Amino acid sequence: MISGLFGPGSVTNTLRGGLEEASATHKVIADRVANALQQSASTDFAGQLNAKLGSEEDIERDMTSLADTQLRYDATAKLLQSSYAEYRSAIRNG
């Protein structure tokens, strides 16, 4: 019975997997943005400016992806929270 609620193939397991995937994706994108920003802080201003102008679209795309991933994570977390609340209610009400 419990494996049906929390085991493989269950809604909660799927949602937890979604949270882990969103978290990993968020970390990868955030690392790319951090590396791009760190490179722009170097002492070779002219070279970095030219590189940044070429990669500005990439940074903007990554920032958009970060926002999208955060929204997905938040939505998945709320669904998982709701699912657990339903389980608690079912247990309390018998």
Side-chain angles (χ1 to χ4, degrees), residues 4-78:
L5 295 174
F6 301 105
S10 68
V11 172
T12 55
N13 188 47
T14 302
L15 291 171
R16 283 192 318 256
L19 286 177
E20 291 170 4
E21 181 181 341
S23 180
T25 301
H26 193 84
K27 183 176 177 1
V28 168
I29 297 168
D31 287 345
R32 276 198 315 252
V33 170
N35 287 336
L37 294 176
Q38 185 178 24
Q39 288 175 359
S40 70
S42 75
T43 57
D44 180 20
F45 181 74
Q48 291 301 320
L49 180 61
N50 289 332
K52 184 175 178 172
L53 290 175
S55 68
E56 192 171 304
E57 285 184 19
D58 292 336
I59 292 173
E60 189 173 314
R61 189 176 311 120
D62 283 342
M63 294 299 289
T64 302
S65 293
L66 276 175
D68 181 61
T69 303
Q70 184 64 46
L71 289 172
R72 290 176 189 272
Y73 183 91
D74 290 344
T76 304
K78 286 182 182 182

Side-chain angles (χ1 to χ4, degrees), residues 75-90:
T76 304
K78 286 182 182 182
L79 287 171
L80 186 58
Q81 182 181 22
S82 174
S83 181
Y84 285 143
E86 288 176 13
Y87 290 153
R88 280 192 302 273
S89 177

